[in-house]
Amino acid sequence: MAEALQNTVPIQRENDPFEHAQSETSYYGILNILYYLKAKYTRIHFRYSGYVYIAHCEQIDQYEVLLTAHGFQETQERRAVLQFEAYNRYYMSQVMVLRTNENGIYIQFPNELLYLQRRRHIRLRFDDLFMRFTILYSPIGHTRLDEKNLESRFPYVMQEVAREDVSLQTMYRMLVSEIQSISSDFDIVFFSNRNPEELSQAEKIVRDHAKTFYIEDTMRVLSYTSPHQHVNLVNLSGVFEARSSAEGDTAALKYIEEIRKADARGFIVSYLMSPITLFGVMQGYVRVETNQFDKKYINPAQAVDLHRLMELFSYAMSKTRIRSSHFDPSSVETRVVNISLSGLLLEFSDEAIFRYLMQHRRIKMLIPVMGDDLELFGEIVRFSQRGGFYYLGVLFFKSKPGDMIRLERFIHENMQFQFL
């Protein structure tokens, strides 16, 4: 019994949603629906003796139906409730449990199936339908004003990242050009090449907070301890406050002063470290600094601009990676679990891309249908994970002219292969 309880959940007592439902009472109509459940191996919610079991239809006879349900435990109760989804409807039926044995659960052939319409469009399930997709640009600015400032500040960069086949080489050249307008002294560092124990305090902050570490003047302690006004800039103010609470202001100030002196001994005037990410995962940073020979400081506006620019470059890297792995003709195709005229459910196993798509939800899809590719655009509206696979529910919002008509014809023709 303990094992059965682990594989079931208590029934939730609510108002009956089938109170005004339509019904199917025709013997052959019910028989066709049961054969559909068997052929598609559809999950049936089998409500029995206070618990819900996940069951499947194994055998259909004239007067009884055989179900299997993992962890099922028989009691004195003879009544049960079936609930399942088929043909764009949600069905329910009260049945009698006749007997159980090693083969499964034998129930009386249902006399009636109550049903509710679930979706506006019929959703068909496929085992051999695959697609390719890539992401569309999603605004990275916190407000529409931020986005307009980006378009004004980096017009050519914004034009490039909006392209479907964004060029990383072009993006890198524009990145270097913008960095060199601040300072010619810069370096790109990847954390995979570094021992985590050897990272500096600033590098750990960049890695853990995904913000730009920025010091305006290495000769002023306040540049290290005074919090930045912009949300994307950070310094040692958090470290200073934590150490002040634990060790006192004097010890905390001494620790910050040692870091400041080390920077000053390297003839550094000001510097920043902007993060580089791939699928939202920290990969490294670009370090830009000015020295006493440059005789200039990096101002806060330049630090914010560079942070935004690195966000765009990181986006371009992620978009290029997704395109090469899930959109190019030679890439691995993504399985379409089911599809309707309003959207589809896709399945894949890449967790990093799954997490990234939670933020970048607009995608372009190519679905091979009737000898050609349908070009559809959608927004991801639902996320789930099951059995080591990741599932994304996509809602269509645009298509190439004529493609929705072709999709409707494709769905209609495939309906002929269903048990109607």
Side-chain angles (χ1 to χ4, degrees), residues 310-336:
M310 294 310 301
E311 284 184 323
L312 292 171
F313 185 74
S314 297
Y315 167 81
M317 290 200 307
S318 300
K319 185 174 185 177
T320 301
R321 178 69 178 275
I322 291 176
R323 182 179 179 86
S324 64
S325 63
H326 289 80
F327 189 77
D328 289 342
S330 60
S331 64
V332 177
E333 294 183 316
T334 303
R335 177 173 174 249
V336 177

Side-chain angles (χ1 to χ4, degrees), residues 32-185:
N32 282 339
I33 293 171
L34 293 177
Y35 271 117
Y36 173 88
L37 298 182
K38 179 182 177 181
K40 293 297 183 180
Y41 203 62
T42 301
R43 290 159 57 101
I44 301 171
H45 290 253
F46 187 71
R47 296 173 176 261
Y48 174 78
S49 192
Y51 291 92
V52 180
Y53 298 88
I54 301 302
H56 294 90
C57 184
E58 297 291 341
Q59 182 178 318
I60 304 167
D61 294 326
Q62 185 176 1
Y63 300 110
E64 63 184 22
V65 178
L66 174 61
L67 305 178
T68 58
H70 178 70
F72 177 78
Q73 293 291 327
E74 185 179 10
T75 68
Q76 297 298 320
E77 181 69 35
R78 294 294 93 188
R79 294 183 180 275
V81 174
L82 304 180
Q83 289 185 335
F84 56 88
E85 185 179 356
Y87 302 130
N88 200 35
R89 295 172 177 175
Y90 189 56
Y91 287 91
M92 187 275 285
S93 178
Q94 295 186 4
V95 296
M96 294 290 294
V97 176
L98 302 177
R99 65 187 184 279
T100 64
N101 57 28
E102 65 277 4
N103 295 325
I105 311 161
Y106 290 87
I107 64 172
Q108 185 180 31
F109 192 95
N111 295 320
E112 180 184 38
L113 290 178
L114 301 178
Y115 64 88
L116 300 171
Q117 198 75 16
R118 288 296 304 273
R119 292 176 174 82
R120 179 182 177 185
H121 300 292
I122 294 176
R123 183 179 68 175
L124 291 185
R125 183 179 180 88
F126 291 91
D127 296 322
D128 57 353
L129 182 61
F130 296 87
M131 58 169 267
R132 294 178 283 133
F133 75 91
T134 186
I135 58 175
L136 302 174
Y137 176 72
S138 300
I140 64 173
H142 297 287
T143 64
R144 179 56 188 160
L145 180 60
D146 286 344
E147 202 66 21
K148 287 185 176 180
N149 289 338
L150 276 176
E151 295 170 357
S152 174
R153 180 67 180 84
F154 307 113
Y156 298 109
V157 176
M158 295 295 288
Q159 290 175 14
E160 184 63 31
V161 297
R163 291 168 54 93
E164 289 185 8
D165 56 344
V166 55
S167 169
L168 278 184
Q169 184 178 15
T170 301
M171 286 291 297
Y172 181 75
R173 289 176 178 173
M174 290 189 288
L175 172 65
V176 171
S177 177
E178 292 292 339
I179 291 176
Q180 288 181 335
S181 68
I182 300 174
S183 173
S184 59
D185 194 355

Side-chain angles (χ1 to χ4, degrees), residues 367-383:
I367 306 175
V369 165
M370 305 172 69
D372 200 359
D373 286 334
L374 299 183
E375 185 175 300
L376 303 171
F377 299 82
E379 182 171 357
I380 302 169
V381 295
R382 183 160 53 91
F383 302 84

Side-chain angles (χ1 to χ4, degrees), residues 348-390:
F348 59 91
S349 57
D350 194 321
E351 181 179 3
I353 294 181
F354 176 75
R355 303 297 176 191
Y356 189 69
L357 291 176
M358 288 183 174
Q359 303 297 325
H360 298 267
R361 300 188 175 194
R362 296 165 68 86
I363 61 175
K364 174 185 176 179
M365 298 158 284
L366 294 180
I367 306 175
V369 165
M370 305 172 69
D372 200 359
D373 286 334
L374 299 183
E375 185 175 300
L376 303 171
F377 299 82
E379 182 171 357
I380 302 169
V381 295
R382 183 160 53 91
F383 302 84
S384 62
Q385 178 183 357
R386 185 172 66 252
F389 290 94
Y390 301 94

Side-chain angles (χ1 to χ4, degrees), residues 129-394:
L129 182 61
F130 296 87
M131 58 169 267
R132 294 178 283 133
F133 75 91
T134 186
I135 58 175
L136 302 174
Y137 176 72
S138 300
I140 64 173
H142 297 287
T143 64
R144 179 56 188 160
L145 180 60
D146 286 344
E147 202 66 21
K148 287 185 176 180
N149 289 338
L150 276 176
E151 295 170 357
S152 174
R153 180 67 180 84
F154 307 113
Y156 298 109
V157 176
M158 295 295 288
Q159 290 175 14
E160 184 63 31
V161 297
R163 291 168 54 93
E164 289 185 8
D165 56 344
V166 55
S167 169
L168 278 184
Q169 184 178 15
T170 301
M171 286 291 297
Y172 181 75
R173 289 176 178 173
M174 290 189 288
L175 172 65
V176 171
S177 177
E178 292 292 339
I179 291 176
Q180 288 181 335
S181 68
I182 300 174
S183 173
S184 59
D185 194 355
F186 73 94
D187 191 19
I188 297 178
V189 180
F190 290 96
F191 289 125
S192 59
N193 301 327
R194 301 287 304 279
N195 185 337
E197 298 179 356
E198 297 177 354
L199 296 181
S200 67
Q201 185 69 63
E203 288 175 320
K204 292 178 181 177
I205 291 175
V206 174
R207 180 196 62 186
D208 297 339
H209 298 278
K211 295 183 178 183
T212 292
F213 186 88
Y214 166 57
I215 301 298
E216 184 175 7
D217 185 357
T218 59
M219 299 304 293
R220 299 174 63 244
V221 176
L222 286 179
S223 291
Y224 294 80
T225 59
S226 180
H228 290 301
Q229 294 184 353
H230 199 280
V231 66
N232 290 325
L233 302 183
V234 68
N235 53 19
L236 294 177
S237 59
V239 175
F240 175 72
E241 292 175 4
R243 283 183 169 266
S244 295
S245 300
E247 305 171 4
D249 291 347
T250 302
L253 191 60
K254 181 179 179 181
Y255 175 78
I256 301 298
E257 182 65 18
E258 290 176 355
I259 296 177
R260 188 201 66 78
K261 288 181 178 179
D263 290 341
R265 282 195 293 269
F267 303 103
I268 300 172
V269 172
S270 60
Y271 67 98
L272 59 81
M273 300 157 65
S274 284
I276 301 174
T277 63
L278 180 65
F279 302 136
V281 178
M282 189 62 56
Q283 302 295 322
Y285 61 90
V286 58
R287 178 186 173 98
V288 183
E289 63 182 49
T290 60
N291 54 49
Q292 294 180 0
F293 303 100
D294 296 325
K295 297 181 180 179
K296 65 179 181 179
Y297 297 92
I298 301 174
N299 61 54
Q302 290 174 318
V304 172
D305 278 350
L306 188 57
H307 180 88
R308 290 296 199 203
L309 188 62
M310 294 310 301
E311 284 184 323
L312 292 171
F313 185 74
S314 297
Y315 167 81
M317 290 200 307
S318 300
K319 185 174 185 177
T320 301
R321 178 69 178 275
I322 291 176
R323 182 179 179 86
S324 64
S325 63
H326 289 80
F327 189 77
D328 289 342
S330 60
S331 64
V332 177
E333 294 183 316
T334 303
R335 177 173 174 249
V336 177
V337 179
N338 57 61
I339 189 170
S340 72
L341 284 176
S342 58
L344 57 79
L345 179 67
L346 60 87
E347 171 194 87
F348 59 91
S349 57
D350 194 321
E351 181 179 3
I353 294 181
F354 176 75
R355 303 297 176 191
Y356 189 69
L357 291 176
M358 288 183 174
Q359 303 297 325
H360 298 267
R361 300 188 175 194
R362 296 165 68 86
I363 61 175
K364 174 185 176 179
M365 298 158 284
L366 294 180
I367 306 175
V369 165
M370 305 172 69
D372 200 359
D373 286 334
L374 299 183
E375 185 175 300
L376 303 171
F377 299 82
E379 182 171 357
I380 302 169
V381 295
R382 183 160 53 91
F383 302 84
S384 62
Q385 178 183 357
R386 185 172 66 252
F389 290 94
Y390 301 94
Y391 298 88
L392 302 175
V394 183

